[in-house]
Structure formats: structure tokens, C-alpha cells
């Protein structure tokens, strides 16, 4: 039986129920226009296509949006899927509705295709359209929700999977970012059903078993919570909800725990009149039932970045069940349900708090900054995904300002979250008054003071540990600028020499023909292209002096490339099982394999076998070439044969104090290690960061040395380096 299309009068009644002053004429005209435009078009389900925009409008009405947004929902597919033109939309509904419809039309082309650059470019359009009017995103999310609800009608399994993956990667995180928790969870769960049907079925079976065992337990707990609040004079609305299957699965995977260990499969919400009553209710809950240590979170004093506020606690509650309780005001509850749509309602009613709105849109401003700083569309897409997906940690500036960061964020992430200039000039930091390395991971509640230099100098090695998209994009931008300057100087020197061979002087005017032919912007771009090696000086000379014979053109100096240190040679006789007899062998310098490591060999024509540890990141490059892999293992040396020395590499952060380096060398020597190389990679007034290559017998020998180094007061941190 096919679902009935919502009638015009039903949609109107739904809107007027929460907005009696809604523009009825606009809604009626949009309904009729969309119905006529889509005509006899059909969906994959066989339903009239017009049922889709009407359902989208119904979802938007459920968010209690204004008539303009709902009219946009009715019209959102007319420009793309019908013969309707922008002029018609503007003539019938005004320029504002046209801008919204046009914005949604552009967003509808975001697809996960093999051409990731196109997807990334469309994602940029999404961001820009959102920044102009957030209702564009709300309409698109409603559109995606209805498409996901009807996804099973699409016959092509590859297409269903692509749409589900796109929903999980882009639309669900966006819904989360604007605080629309219910919508986000439904999108995730619908995508989960397509991407991992068996896992979802397993969770559903466990939930069904839980319901059958508990019977009306939820109702009994709600009743008990209501009575407890009433006994203490608190007027409260209490509800209970069951966690969705995907949320359960994701938490089980993230925390590596079993279904039975989850404490918040059932969560109960207590809604009270104001903030003081929230804390009063919390006190009553904790007086009545024992709380579970470490399970209290106060999102009222430190709201989430998407605007969510509440007090969370877990108690051994009624019927001796472990339950999560969330305590909120009515406004907090509305924002938890509808996110930015609720912010918009409160703003319309004159109740919106400027600071709440600032928090709500800060993430959007940060993504716009990343857009400005990132040249590569794919890089932009990855950085924005980083910003959308990660959980948060809250830290404070010395003035008490709150900074929200991704989980496992470092001091450098904090510096860039304050301002890009602060990040670029960071040379050290104090966390809670104690000097720490810049790579230090921050925890909730840390107070961070950034120590700065006068000259911007981000370190490229920071990219190895920063977590936020903003920090990565700022560091990459600085590196690109530095590289461009170096390439420009090199290119200018090469072209100056080449022009001198022809008794000419290189200048902007002289390079105008090359700028035009090579389709570059200016002379600096020509210098950079030559410096990078993308264009040769010979080519530029031939463009500028077209009559020059090739044999008379200058011979370009060849700039030697720095030697690659990806491999180190070894002498024969090292006992490894699985090698091809007579084939040359090298140990990879990226992972420095040692006896005791699990190892594999990669065969390279003309080089022999390069040996890597089984967890080396470089091996990903050969995943599609199984014919090049050799399964190897260390063999014990023959009786009486002396074990060969092998080089292991450690990464170390050393306090910048007298005798620190001496302490390091002493510890290594005492444990029979031999330092073969030492390289300082970063130096600040407080710390040295360095790599130390140590000749050892095997993994156990290196582990003993690392343990001894960790016990040395002069050393802040030490670990085996791979990469």
C-alpha cells in the first residue's frame, strides 16, 4: 500500500498550528506550482514525484520553520528536475525564495564519486550556501532524510551504498554540527541499515530481548522519577528514550565494550523551568540514588559547540538499574531536538542569546577560514571532515575564554584555535602553569598559555601530531608560502643565468610572452614553475627568443637532488628466512626493523628486497601489488656466530638543561647501545626534539634502553620512531 500524499490543506494546518501569521498565499502557490511542474514524474518507489517535495515540506514544518523555508522545500527540485526556470521562480515567489532554491539545487549535486575533486568543489558550494542562509542546509537535510527513508526502493545496491556512505560522511555530521540530534541519529541509523545490515540486525535483536525482559520498566522508571521530583516540590516533565542501534554500535566499537556494559541504552530526560532548578533536580537525583563515578557531565556551564546544554549523570536508579539521566530547561530541550532550527525560533521571538548564536555559528566561521587558506579542494574536504567528526575537549585561555577542540588535540591545535597568528608564532606553552612541549595532548579543563616569538615559524613536523582541520590548513598554507618563496628565488636564478647566455636581462616585461603562452598569472608564477621543475628554462628561452636555434640555447645546470634515505644497505649473512637466494637485501629506513619485529619484504626491480616491519605505513603503497610481497621472518644466528648489530631509531623530547644530552648518552652506553646518528629536529628555549639512531641486538634490547631513558629526569618523553 502506497503512502498517501499530504494534501494542501493538511500542510497549511500543520504550519498554522505553530505560526498563525504564516503566509498562507505563499504556501498555497508553492504547493500548486510544484505539483504542476513535476507533473507525471515518478520516483523509484512508483509514487508520484510530487510526494517527495511535499514530504520534505512536512519535515520542515516539523522543525517549525517559516513559510519561506517550507515554500523552498516544496520547490527545491523544480530547477533541477523540471522545465521551471529561475525567472519563473523569482517572478512567482520573489528573489529570496529563488536564492534559497538555487542554493539547495547546487547542494543536491554533492556525490561521492571517483572524481573526489568534483565532490570537494561541491562541498565548498555547500559551505558557502550555508554561510549565506542556514535554511539552505535545513532544507537539504530534510531532502536527504526523506530520500534515506525511501532508499530501499532503489534497485541498484551500489547506488544505495554510495548514498548511504555520503549520508554518513557528510550529512549526519552536518546535522550534528547544527545541533539537530534526532535528525542526525535517524540519518546515521538509516545509513547503518544499508552499510552494515547484519550488525544492525544483531543490535536490534539484543534490544528486543531487553524490552521483553524489562516489560514496562521504562514506564515504571518514568513514574518513579516524576514522583520523586514532585515530592521535593519540582514541577518536571519526564521522558525516556532508547538509544538508536547505530549509536549503540558506534559506542561499542569506540570503547571496545560489550552490549551489556553500556550504561545509557536507556536514557531519561527531566525538563524543568530554569537553570537553578536543573541543579536542584540533580541534587535530588544524587540524594535518592547512588551516582556512578566518572559519569557526570555539565554541559550547562560548558555547552557543546553545537549549542547543546544539559546536565548528564548516571546512577544506580529505580529497580537497581544503571540509567543515564539528562536534566534540562524547556529551551535546552528544544535546542537538543531541533538545534539551529530552535535557535532560529527563539531569535524570531526575541529570546535568542547572542552568545548562544555565536557558539552555534563559530564552527561555520572556522570552516570558512579553512576554505580561504586551503588551495587544494580535496585537502579542504579532508580538513572539514576532521572538524565535523571528532569529539571535543574544552580548555581555557588565561583570561577564562572557552576553546573547544577535537579529542586528543595538542597545544598547537589550541594555539591555532585562538588565532592563526598565535599558532604561527607559538614556540612553547604552559598548561596549568607548567611548561610543556607543544605536542602535549590537552585534557578537559586545562588552562593553556601560549608562549610566542615575534617571527612566524610553524614547524612542518607539527603536521605529524595536530588533530584539528584548522591547524592542519594553517600549517600547510605557511609551508606552501615558504616553498613558493624558495622556488621563486631558485627559478629567478636559473632564468637569470639562461638570459645572460643571450645577452639579455630577465624582467617582468621580458617574461610577458611566457606568461601568456604558459597561461600563468604573472612573472612570479613563471619563476616558481621553473624553480619547481614544472617548466624548464629552455622552454622559457624558446618562447621569449623564438628564432633561437636549439643547439645555441644554454645548457641548463642540473640541480642535484638530495639523497634519499629511505633505505640503508646491510652486509650479507643476516639470518632471515624466506629470502630469494642471491637477491640483494636492504632494511627500510622508514621503520628500522629489528630482530623480534614481524617483517615482510618488498621486491623492487634493480634494488632487491627492502625489509619493512609489518605495521609500516609505507606498505599501504604496495597493497594492490601482492606479487611484490615476501613473507619473511628472523632466524636465530648459527651457534657460535656473533649477532649482527641493527639500528633502531627513537624519537625523544629532551629538557633544555645543562647535562641533559650527557645523561642520554650515559644511559644508552650503560645498556650496551651505540649511538650511530643524532639529529635535532626542533629546538625551543625549554625543549629539544631529536631522533637518535642506536645500534642494538634486537627489539628487546631497544625496549630496555627506552625504559631506562624514560626513567631519566632530563627526558620529557621517548618512544620508538617509525616514519
Amino acid at each position: 500500500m502506497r503512502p498517501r500524499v499530504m494534501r494542501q490543506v493538511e500542510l497549511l494546518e500543520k504550519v498554522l498550528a505553530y505560526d498563525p501569521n504564516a503566509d498562507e498565499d505563499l504556501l498555497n502557490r508553492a504547493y500548486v506550482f510544484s505539483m504542476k511542474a513535476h507533473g507525471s514524474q515518478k520516483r523509484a518507489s512508483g509514487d508520484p514525484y510530487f510526494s517527495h517535495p511535499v514530504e520534505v515540506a512536512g519535515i520542515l514544518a516539523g522543525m517549525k520553520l517559516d513559510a519561506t523555508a517550507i515554500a523552498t522545500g516544496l520547490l527545491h527540485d523544480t530547477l533541477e528536475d523540471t522545465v521551471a526556470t529561475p525567472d519563473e521562480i523569482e517572478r512567482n515567489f520573489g528573489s529570496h525564495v529563488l536564492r534559497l532554491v538555487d542554493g539547495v539545487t547546487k547542494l543536491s549535486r554533492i556525490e561521492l564519486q571517483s572524481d573526489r575533486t568534483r565532490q570537494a568543489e561541491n562541498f565548498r558550494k555547500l559551505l558557502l550556501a550555508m554561510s549565506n542562509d542556514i535554511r539552505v542546509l535545513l532544507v537539504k537535510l530534510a531532502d536527504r532524510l526523506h530520500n534515506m527513508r525511501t532508499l530501499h526502493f532503489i534497485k541498484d545496491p551500489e547506488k544505495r551504498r554510495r548514498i548511504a556512505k555520503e549520508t554518513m560522511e557528510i550529512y549526519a555530521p552536518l546535522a550534528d554540527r547544527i545541533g539537530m540530534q534526532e535528525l542526525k541519529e535517524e540519518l546515521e541509523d538509516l545509513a547503518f541499515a544499508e552499510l552494515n545490515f547484519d550488525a544492525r540486525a544483531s543490535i536490534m535483536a539484543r534490544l528486543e530481548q531487553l524490552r521483553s525482559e524489562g516489560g514496562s520498566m521504562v514506564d515504571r522508571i518514568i513514574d518513579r522519577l516524576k514522583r520523586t521530583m514532585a515530592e521535593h516540590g519540582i514541577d518536571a516533565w519526564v521522558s525516556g528514550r532508547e538509544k538508536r542501534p547505530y549509536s549503540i554500535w558506534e559506542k561499542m566499537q569506540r570503547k571496545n565494550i560489550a552490549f551489556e556494559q553500556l550504561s545509557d541504552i536507556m536514557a531519561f530526560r527531566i525538563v524543568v523551568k530554569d537553570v537553578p532548578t536543573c541543579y536542584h533536580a540533580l541534587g535530588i537525583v544524587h540524594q535518592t540514588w547512588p551516582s556512578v563515578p566518572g559519569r557526570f557531565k555539565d554541559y550547562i556551564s560548558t555547552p557543546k559547540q553545537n549549542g547543546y546544554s544539559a546536565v548528564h549523570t548516571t546512577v544506580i536508579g529505580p529497580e537497581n538499574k544503571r540509567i543515564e539521566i539528562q536534566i534540562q530547561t524547556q529551551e535546552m530541550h528544544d535546542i537538543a531536538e531541533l538545534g539551529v532550527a530552535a535557535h532560529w525560533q527563539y531569535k524570531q521571538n526575541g529570546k535568542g542569546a547572542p552568545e548562544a548564536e555565536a557558539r552555534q555559528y563559530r564552527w561555520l566561521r572556522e570552516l570558512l577560514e579553512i576554505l580561504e587558506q586551503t588551495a587544494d579542494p580535496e585537502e579542504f574536504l579532508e580538513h572539514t571532515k576532521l572538524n565535523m567528526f571528532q569529539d571535543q575537549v574544552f580548555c581555557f585561555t588565561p583570561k577564562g575564554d572557552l576553546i573547544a577542540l577535537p579529542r586528543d588535540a595538542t597545544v598547537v591545535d589550541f594555539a591555532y584555535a585562538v588565532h592563526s597568528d598565535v599558532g604561527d608564532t607559538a614556540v612553547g606553552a604552559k598548561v596549568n602553569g607548567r611548561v610543556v612541549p607543544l605536542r602535549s595532548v590537552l585534557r578537559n579543563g586545562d588552562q593553556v598559555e601560549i608562549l610566542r616569538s615575534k617571527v612566524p615559524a610553524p614547524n612542518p613536523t607539527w603536521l605529524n601530531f595536530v588533530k584539528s582541520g584548522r591547524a592542519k590548513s594553517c600549517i600547510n598554507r605557511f609551508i606552501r608560502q615558504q616553498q613558493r618563496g624558495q622556488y621563486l628565488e631558485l627559478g629567478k636564478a636559473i632564468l637569470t643565468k639562461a638570459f645572460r647566455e643571450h645577452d639579455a636581462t630577465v624582467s617582468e616585461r621580458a617574461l610577458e610572452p611566457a606568461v601568456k603562452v604558459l597561461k600563468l598569472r604573472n612573472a612570479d608564477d613563471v619563476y616558481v614553475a621553473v624553480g619547481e621543475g614544472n617548466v624548464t628554462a629552455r622552454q622559457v628561452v624558446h618562447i621569449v627568443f623564438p628564432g633561437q636555434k636549439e643547439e645555441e640555447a644554454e645548457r641548463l645546470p642540473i640541480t642535484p637532488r638530495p639523497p634519499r634515505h629511505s633505505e640503508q644497505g646491510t652486509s650479507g649473512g643476516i639470518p632471515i628466512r624466506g629470502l630469494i637466494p642471491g637477491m640483494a637485501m636492504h632494511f627500510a629506513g622508514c621503520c628500522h626493523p629489528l630482530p623480534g619485529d614481524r617483517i615482510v619484504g618488498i621486491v623492487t626491480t634493480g634494488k632487491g628486497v627492502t625489509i619493512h616491519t609489518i605495521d609500516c605505513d609505507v606498505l599501504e603503497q604496495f597493497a594492490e601489488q601482492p606479487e611484490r610481497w615476501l613473507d619473511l621472518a628472523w632466524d636465530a644466528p648459527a651457534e657460535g656466530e656473533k649477532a649482527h648489530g641493527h639500528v633502531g631509531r627513537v624519537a625523544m623530547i629532551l629538557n633544555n638543561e645543562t647535562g641533559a644530552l650527557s645523561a642520554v648518552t650515559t644511559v644508552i652506553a650503560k645498556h650496551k647501545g651505540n649511538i650511530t646518528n643524532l639529529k635535532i629536529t626542533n629546538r625551543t628555549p625549554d625543549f629539544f626534539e631529536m631522533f637518535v639512531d642506536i645500534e642494538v641486538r634486537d627489539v628487546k634490547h631497544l625496549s630496555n634502553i627506552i625504559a631506562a631513558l624514560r626513567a631519566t629526569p632530563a627526558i620529557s618523553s621517548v618512544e620508538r620512531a617509525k616514519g
Side-chain angles (χ1 to χ4, degrees), residues 51-101:
S51 64
H52 170 64
V54 172
E55 287 299 321
V56 170
I59 293 169
L60 294 169
M63 298 177 192
K64 299 184 179 179
L65 289 182
D66 64 332
T68 302
I70 293 165
T72 303
L74 288 166
L75 300 166
H76 77 274
D77 275 337
T78 52
L79 289 182
E80 187 170 15
D81 294 330
T82 77
V83 295
T85 65
D87 287 343
E88 282 183 273
I89 301 293
E90 184 171 21
R91 190 167 59 250
N92 286 284
F93 306 103
S95 58
H96 194 54
V97 171
L98 173 62
R99 276 199 304 273
L100 291 175
V101 173

Side-chain angles (χ1 to χ4, degrees), residues 198-256:
D198 292 341
R200 188 177 185 276
S202 172
I203 298 290
M204 291 292 288
R206 302 296 292 276
L207 287 173
E208 190 57 45
Q209 182 183 353
L210 195 67
R211 293 188 205 108
S212 63
E213 291 172 358
S216 58
M217 182 181 67
V218 174
D219 294 335
R220 294 196 302 272
I221 293 176
I222 289 174
D223 184 59
R224 178 67 193 279
L225 289 172
K226 282 181 179 176
R227 283 189 286 109
T228 302
M229 292 296 116
E231 286 167 8
H232 289 82
I234 292 180
D235 182 22
W237 173 74
V238 182
S239 65
R241 62 126 177 98
E242 187 180 81
K243 209 173 182 75
R244 288 185 180 267
Y246 177 74
S247 297
I248 293 172
W249 173 258
E250 188 271 335
K251 192 164 189 178
M252 287 168 61
Q253 299 298 306
R254 177 164 45 90
K255 298 201 168 184
N256 195 25

Side-chain angles (χ1 to χ4, degrees), residues 121-422:
E121 284 290 1
N122 282 324
F123 193 68
R124 293 167 87 124
K125 292 177 186 175
L126 162 67
L127 181 59
L128 293 170
M130 282 160 45
S131 66
N132 290 329
D133 195 322
I134 200 70
R135 286 175 295 181
V136 169
L137 178 58
L138 295 176
V139 175
K140 188 60 196 170
L141 287 173
D143 172 40
R144 177 50 57 115
L145 179 59
H146 184 249
N147 283 334
M148 288 302 296
R149 286 173 177 173
T150 56
L151 184 66
H152 57 282
F153 287 113
I154 295 176
K155 293 178 180 177
D156 182 359
E158 251 331 289
K159 185 175 181 182
R160 289 200 308 270
R161 190 170 182 82
R162 176 179 60 75
I163 293 170
K165 187 180 178 187
E166 176 184 274
T167 299
M168 194 72 89
E169 287 196 351
I170 293 179
Y171 291 103
L174 281 171
D176 182 48
R177 272 302 195 178
I178 60 174
M180 307 194 72
Q181 194 67 19
E182 289 295 318
L183 191 147
K184 171 235 181 189
E185 288 183 357
E186 185 175 354
L187 285 174
E188 283 178 337
D189 205 42
L190 290 166
F192 184 45
E194 180 61 41
L195 295 173
N196 200 336
F197 178 82
D198 292 341
R200 188 177 185 276
S202 172
I203 298 290
M204 291 292 288
R206 302 296 292 276
L207 287 173
E208 190 57 45
Q209 182 183 353
L210 195 67
R211 293 188 205 108
S212 63
E213 291 172 358
S216 58
M217 182 181 67
V218 174
D219 294 335
R220 294 196 302 272
I221 293 176
I222 289 174
D223 184 59
R224 178 67 193 279
L225 289 172
K226 282 181 179 176
R227 283 189 286 109
T228 302
M229 292 296 116
E231 286 167 8
H232 289 82
I234 292 180
D235 182 22
W237 173 74
V238 182
S239 65
R241 62 126 177 98
E242 187 180 81
K243 209 173 182 75
R244 288 185 180 267
Y246 177 74
S247 297
I248 293 172
W249 173 258
E250 188 271 335
K251 192 164 189 178
M252 287 168 61
Q253 299 298 306
R254 177 164 45 90
K255 298 201 168 184
N256 195 25
I257 56 177
F259 183 89
E260 291 77 15
Q261 294 173 278
L262 292 172
S263 62
D264 58 349
I265 291 174
M266 299 303 305
F268 296 85
R269 185 168 289 174
I270 299 175
V271 178
V272 296
K273 64 177 181 178
D274 53 30
V275 171
T277 311
C278 288
Y279 291 107
H280 185 192
L282 175 69
I284 292 166
V285 168
H286 283 178
Q287 282 177 341
T288 309
W289 299 286
S291 63
V292 177
R295 295 290 302 165
F296 171 72
K297 294 175 184 174
D298 188 349
Y299 294 120
I300 293 178
S301 64
T302 54
K304 290 186 178 182
Q305 199 168 355
N306 61 13
Y308 178 85
S309 295
V311 176
H312 288 200
T313 188
T314 300
V315 298
I316 309 299
E319 304 190 21
N320 231 18
K321 297 291 183 183
R322 184 167 160 153
I323 60 171
E324 181 181 283
I325 295 175
Q326 304 163 358
I327 305 172
Q328 300 176 308
T329 66
Q330 184 61 50
E331 181 177 346
M332 292 174 193
H333 172 71
D334 292 342
I335 290 168
E337 295 293 312
L338 297 174
V340 73
H343 271 303
W344 181 84
Q345 291 170 36
Y346 279 93
K347 186 178 177 182
Q348 291 291 100
N349 296 331
K351 299 178 185 177
E355 63 273 14
E357 188 177 351
R359 281 196 306 271
Q360 190 74 8
Y361 290 101
R362 176 173 177 169
W363 69 277
L364 188 52
R365 291 198 301 273
E366 287 174 356
L367 293 189
L368 284 169
E369 287 177 17
I370 292 175
L371 175 58
E372 291 171 2
Q373 294 164 0
T374 308
D376 180 8
E378 292 185 43
E379 183 185 324
F380 167 70
L381 180 61
E382 290 308 312
H383 290 166
T384 49
K385 281 182 182 178
L386 277 174
N387 269 28
M388 290 194 297
F389 270 113
Q390 297 183 359
D391 294 338
Q392 291 180 305
V393 60
F394 297 95
C395 300
F396 297 91
T397 66
K399 293 182 179 179
D401 296 329
L402 183 68
I403 302 292
L405 296 164
R407 184 176 56 198
D408 297 330
T410 64
V411 169
V412 175
D413 292 294
F414 181 93
Y416 278 109
V418 173
H419 197 278
S420 57
D421 288 344
V422 176

